[in-house]
Amino acid sequence: MKYCPNCGAELRTDAKFCPACGYSLEQGAPTEDGSSNPFVQATTNEPFELELEKAEGLNITRAEIKKHAQKKLSGRYGEWCKTIILLIGANIVAGFIFQFAYVRFFTSSLFNLFSPYDYYGYYDYGSSYARPFSGVSILWWFLVMIAALILMFLISALSTAVLQWCAIHTLRGNRADGLQIFAYFLKTQKNRVLKANVLIAIYTFLWSLLFVIPGIVKSASYAMTNYLLEKDDTLTASDAILLSRQIMHGYKMEFLILRYSFFFWNMLAAFQLTNFYVMPYQNVTEIQFLDTLYEHYVEQHVEA
């Protein structure tokens, strides 16, 4: 049995971080060049407080980050078209199924409640009538409505992962093919990407119940999860979420300011056509920020 040397908590045999205290189990492990591996030297003193800490700064402006993102996207927006069309289509289909099921469920309930006919009764001239909507029908449409909600939730969670991985590929000069990336999630990633993004969506929703603002702040804490999952394929979903919180500590405000600088672009995205420009631009910009932050994090730990 394996135990954390810092807090004594029981660990999995393949764990790299202690889930209880965040201690790096590979801290100080030498790399091939003899230096310590900065990737796993995560700090553990993040207070469990919902606050926007003062950042030390990344020595780069938002304008420079956006300019670099636009440079990487120059002539490559077309690569994103298929991915964006598929995501929009999936959301439209799921939304249509939910709305149709909701209308049928609502209509079935009303008719079942107010209909004057009954299964075993007779009406006027001795002719028997049945209710137009049975209890089975109501239950069926209720289950379809719940299934559509779950589908919409999964699409939303996976959309974030697919778009962020597309942005990573764009920054690296690779082709941003969301369909291939999604297939890679299913075939190779052993559900860790799906698990991580579903957990993030659940955590963010629960924090959002505290008057919305906490959910927004926590979404910034989890922002680097997909970046870390792509960077190190040995990280588990929980390890990536934990490490994202540690790296984003002190930089959530900067990230949120960058994210909401696209507010008016996102307002225009309601017309859908602008999504073909806004989605690539915003996601590549955010990943560029996270990449810069990660390099800054590594430099700090190498110096330490």
Side-chain angles (χ1 to χ4, degrees):
M1 189 64 65
K2 188 175 181 180
Y3 297 92
C4 175
N6 187 46
C7 68
E10 185 175 332
L11 304 171
R12 301 189 310 272
T13 56
D14 60 341
K16 292 192 174 184
F17 296 90
C18 174
C21 67
Y23 182 79
S24 171
L25 302 177
E26 297 187 356
Q27 187 169 0
T31 58
E32 295 180 357
D33 59 358
S35 62
S36 294
N37 187 351
F39 183 81
V40 295
Q41 293 180 351
T43 58
T44 61
N45 59 347
E46 180 185 2
F48 189 72
E49 298 179 2
L50 192 63
E51 59 180 9
L52 297 174
E53 311 86 352
K54 181 181 291 186
E56 297 180 3
L58 297 178
N59 297 321
I60 188 172
T61 65
R62 289 190 297 277
E64 290 172 335
I65 293 174
K66 291 181 177 181
K67 184 177 180 181
H68 188 270
Q70 288 177 328
K71 182 179 179 181
K72 287 291 185 178
L73 279 166
S74 179
R76 303 188 61 188
Y77 283 94
E79 295 178 6
W80 288 69
C81 288
K82 181 172 68 174
T83 302
I84 294 171
I85 290 172
L86 289 174
L87 291 178
I88 292 174
N91 280 290
I92 291 175
V93 170
F96 175 79
I97 294 173
F98 173 77
Q99 291 180 8
F100 184 78
Y102 174 78
V103 171
R104 296 290 293 182
F105 170 75
F106 185 73
T107 305
S108 300
S109 301
L110 288 180
F111 271 96
N112 199 52
L113 181 64
F114 296 109
S115 175
Y117 309 122
D118 193 61
Y119 284 108
Y120 305 105
Y122 291 86
Y123 187 73
D124 288 343
Y125 305 104
S127 301
S128 62
Y129 295 89
R131 294 180 183 232
F133 297 98
S134 66
V136 175
S137 175
I138 294 173
L139 177 61
W140 164 254
W141 288 115
F142 176 76
L143 293 176
V144 172
M145 187 171 62
I146 296 301
L149 276 175
I150 295 174
L151 179 61
M152 292 168 64
F153 177 82
L154 292 175
I155 290 173
S156 176
L158 284 174
S159 294
T160 301
V162 169
L163 290 172
Q164 287 192 328
W165 281 55
C166 283
I168 294 171
H169 281 227
T170 297
L171 283 177
R172 292 183 178 176
N174 301 326
R175 182 173 179 80
D177 191 329
L179 193 58
Q180 289 186 0
I181 290 173
F182 180 72
Y184 178 70
F185 289 167
L186 299 179
K187 295 179 181 178
T188 310
Q189 290 298 301
K190 300 179 181 179
N191 295 324
R192 69 190 187 111
V193 176
L194 174 62
K195 180 181 177 181
N197 284 274
V198 168
L199 286 175
I200 289 172
I202 293 173
Y203 294 158
T204 304
F205 171 75
L206 293 177
W207 278 102
S208 297
L209 296 179
L210 302 175
F211 303 105
V212 180
I213 299 299
I216 295 175
V217 175
K218 280 299 179 181
S219 69
S221 293
Y222 308 136
M224 191 172 276
T225 302
N226 283 300
Y227 176 89
L228 295 171
L229 288 171
E230 197 279 338
K231 197 169 190 67
D232 185 352
D233 57 8
T234 64
L235 279 178
T236 64
S238 56
D239 287 342
I241 292 173
L242 175 62
L243 189 54
S244 174
R245 289 179 53 213
Q246 293 168 347
I247 296 177
M248 292 299 295
H249 179 71
Y251 295 94
K252 292 192 283 288
M253 175 64 84
E254 287 190 29
F255 179 78
L256 288 173
I257 292 174
L258 177 67
R259 170 170 286 181
Y260 286 99
S261 68
F262 289 91
F263 176 78
F264 292 106
W265 279 114
N266 289 319
M267 292 288 289
L268 292 174
F271 298 102
Q272 299 298 338
L273 289 177
T274 54
N275 276 319
F276 293 95
Y277 175 76
V278 178
M279 281 187 176
Y281 183 24
Q282 180 171 356
N283 279 277
V284 173
T285 299
E286 290 182 4
I287 293 298
Q288 178 61 48
F289 173 88
L290 298 177
D291 189 58
T292 305
L293 175 57
Y294 178 77
E295 292 178 359
H296 177 70
Y297 174 80
V298 170
E299 289 174 0
Q300 283 186 322
H301 285 76
V302 167
E303 293 174 359

